[in-house]
Coordinates of all heavy atoms in Angstrom, one line a residue:
Y7 N 47.8 131.1 -13.0 CA 48.1 131.7 -11.7 C 48.9 130.8 -10.8 O 48.6 130.6 -9.7 CB 46.7 132.0 -11.0 CG 45.6 132.4 -11.9 CD1 44.6 131.6 -12.3 CD2 45.7 133.7 -12.5 CE1 43.6 132.0 -13.2 CE2 44.7 134.1 -13.4 CZ 43.7 133.3 -13.7 OH 42.7 133.7 -14.6
E52 N 50.4 143.6 -17.3 CA 50.2 142.8 -16.1 C 51.2 141.7 -16.0 O 51.8 141.3 -15.0 CB 48.8 142.3 -16.0 CG 48.5 141.6 -14.7 CD 47.1 141.0 -14.6 OE1 46.3 141.3 -15.5 OE2 46.8 140.4 -13.6
F107 N 54.2 144.4 -5.8 CA 53.6 143.7 -4.6 C 52.1 143.4 -4.9 O 51.6 142.3 -4.6 CB 53.7 144.4 -3.3 CG 53.2 143.7 -2.1 CD1 53.7 142.5 -1.7 CD2 52.1 144.3 -1.4 CE1 53.3 141.8 -0.6 CE2 51.7 143.6 -0.3 CZ 52.2 142.4 0.1
T108 N 51.4 144.3 -5.5 CA 50.0 144.1 -5.9 C 49.9 143.0 -6.9 O 48.9 142.2 -6.8 CB 49.4 145.4 -6.5 OG1 49.5 146.4 -5.5 CG2 47.9 145.2 -6.9
A109 N 50.8 142.9 -7.8 CA 50.8 141.7 -8.8 C 50.9 140.4 -8.1 O 50.2 139.4 -8.4 CB 52.0 141.9 -9.8
L110 N 51.8 140.3 -7.0 CA 51.9 139.1 -6.3 C 50.7 138.8 -5.5 O 50.2 137.6 -5.4 CB 53.1 139.2 -5.3 CG 54.5 139.2 -5.9 CD1 55.6 139.4 -4.8 CD2 54.8 137.9 -6.6
V111 N 50.1 139.8 -4.9 CA 48.8 139.6 -4.1 C 47.7 139.1 -5.0 O 47.0 138.2 -4.7 CB 48.4 140.9 -3.4 CG1 47.0 140.8 -2.8 CG2 49.4 141.3 -2.3
R112 N 47.6 139.8 -6.2 CA 46.6 139.4 -7.2 C 46.8 137.9 -7.6 O 45.8 137.2 -7.8 CB 46.6 140.3 -8.4 CG 45.8 141.6 -8.1 CD 46.0 142.6 -9.2 NE 45.9 142.1 -10.5 CZ 44.8 141.8 -11.2 NH1 43.6 142.0 -10.6 NH2 44.8 141.4 -12.4
N113 N 48.0 137.5 -7.8 CA 48.3 136.1 -8.2 C 47.8 135.2 -7.1 O 47.2 134.1 -7.4 CB 49.8 135.9 -8.4 CG 50.1 134.6 -9.0 OD1 49.5 134.2 -10.0 ND2 51.0 133.8 -8.4
T114 N 48.0 135.5 -5.8 CA 47.5 134.7 -4.7 C 46.0 134.6 -4.7 O 45.4 133.6 -4.5 CB 48.0 135.3 -3.3 OG1 49.4 135.3 -3.3 CG2 47.5 134.5 -2.2
I115 N 45.4 135.8 -5.0 CA 43.9 135.8 -5.1 C 43.4 134.9 -6.2 O 42.4 134.2 -6.0 CB 43.4 137.2 -5.2 CG1 43.7 138.0 -3.9 CG2 41.9 137.3 -5.6 CD1 43.4 139.5 -4.0
F116 N 44.0 135.0 -7.4 CA 43.5 134.2 -8.5 C 43.8 132.7 -8.4 O 43.1 131.9 -8.9 CB 44.0 134.8 -9.8 CG 43.1 135.9 -10.3 CD1 43.5 137.2 -10.0 CD2 41.9 135.7 -10.9 CE1 42.7 138.3 -10.4 CE2 41.1 136.8 -11.3 CZ 41.5 138.1 -11.0
I117 N 44.9 132.4 -7.6 CA 45.1 131.0 -7.3 C 43.9 130.4 -6.4 O 43.4 129.3 -6.6 CB 46.4 130.8 -6.6 CG1 47.6 131.0 -7.6 CG2 46.6 129.4 -5.9 CD1 49.0 131.0 -6.9
A172 N 38.1 139.0 -16.7 CA 37.8 138.8 -15.3 C 39.0 139.3 -14.5 O 38.9 139.8 -13.4 CB 37.5 137.4 -15.0
R173 N 40.2 139.1 -15.0 CA 41.4 139.4 -14.2 C 41.9 140.8 -14.5 O 43.0 141.2 -14.0 CB 42.5 138.4 -14.4 CG 43.1 138.4 -15.8 CD 44.2 137.3 -15.9 NE 45.3 137.6 -15.1 CZ 46.3 136.7 -14.7 NH1 46.2 135.4 -15.1 NH2 47.3 137.0 -14.0
N174 N 41.2 141.6 -15.2 CA 41.5 143.0 -15.5 C 41.6 143.7 -14.1 O 40.8 143.5 -13.2 CB 40.5 143.7 -16.4 CG 40.9 145.0 -16.8 OD1 41.0 146.0 -16.0 ND2 41.1 145.2 -18.1
R175 N 42.6 144.6 -14.0 CA 42.9 145.2 -12.7 C 41.8 146.1 -12.2 O 41.7 146.4 -11.0 CB 44.2 146.0 -12.8 CG 45.4 145.1 -12.7 CD 46.7 145.8 -12.8 NE 47.0 146.3 -14.1 CZ 48.1 146.9 -14.5 NH1 49.1 147.0 -13.6 NH2 48.3 147.3 -15.7
H176 N 40.9 146.5 -13.1 CA 39.8 147.4 -12.6 C 38.8 146.7 -11.8 O 37.9 147.3 -11.2 CB 39.2 148.2 -13.8 CG 38.2 147.4 -14.6 ND1 38.6 147.1 -15.9 CD2 37.0 147.0 -14.4 CE1 37.6 146.4 -16.5 NE2 36.6 146.4 -15.6
H177 N 38.9 145.3 -11.7 CA 38.0 144.5 -10.9 C 38.7 144.3 -9.5 O 38.1 143.7 -8.6 CB 37.7 143.2 -11.5 CG 36.9 143.3 -12.7 ND1 35.7 143.9 -12.8 CD2 37.1 142.8 -14.0 CE1 35.2 143.8 -14.0 NE2 36.1 143.1 -14.8
T178 N 39.9 144.9 -9.3 CA 40.5 144.7 -8.0 C 40.7 146.1 -7.3 O 41.3 147.0 -8.0 CB 41.9 144.1 -8.2 OG1 41.8 142.8 -8.9 CG2 42.6 143.8 -6.9
I191 N 41.7 144.1 0.3 CA 41.6 143.9 -1.2 C 40.1 143.5 -1.5 O 39.7 142.5 -0.9 CB 42.6 142.9 -1.7 CG1 44.0 143.2 -1.3 CG2 42.4 142.7 -3.2 CD1 44.6 144.4 -2.1
Q193 N 38.0 142.0 -4.4 CA 38.0 141.4 -5.8 C 36.6 141.1 -6.3 O 35.9 140.3 -5.7 CB 38.9 140.1 -5.8 CG 39.0 139.4 -7.1 CD 39.7 140.3 -8.1 OE1 40.8 140.8 -7.8 NE2 39.1 140.4 -9.3

Side-chain angles (χ1 to χ4, degrees):
Y7 323 105
E52 183 179 358
F107 183 62
T108 300
L110 290 175
V111 171
R112 278 170 43 82
N113 188 53
T114 299
I115 289 172
F116 277 96
I117 289 173
R173 66 182 295 164
N174 189 294
R175 282 180 288 189
H176 75 253
H177 293 304
T178 305
I191 305 287
Q193 178 65 46

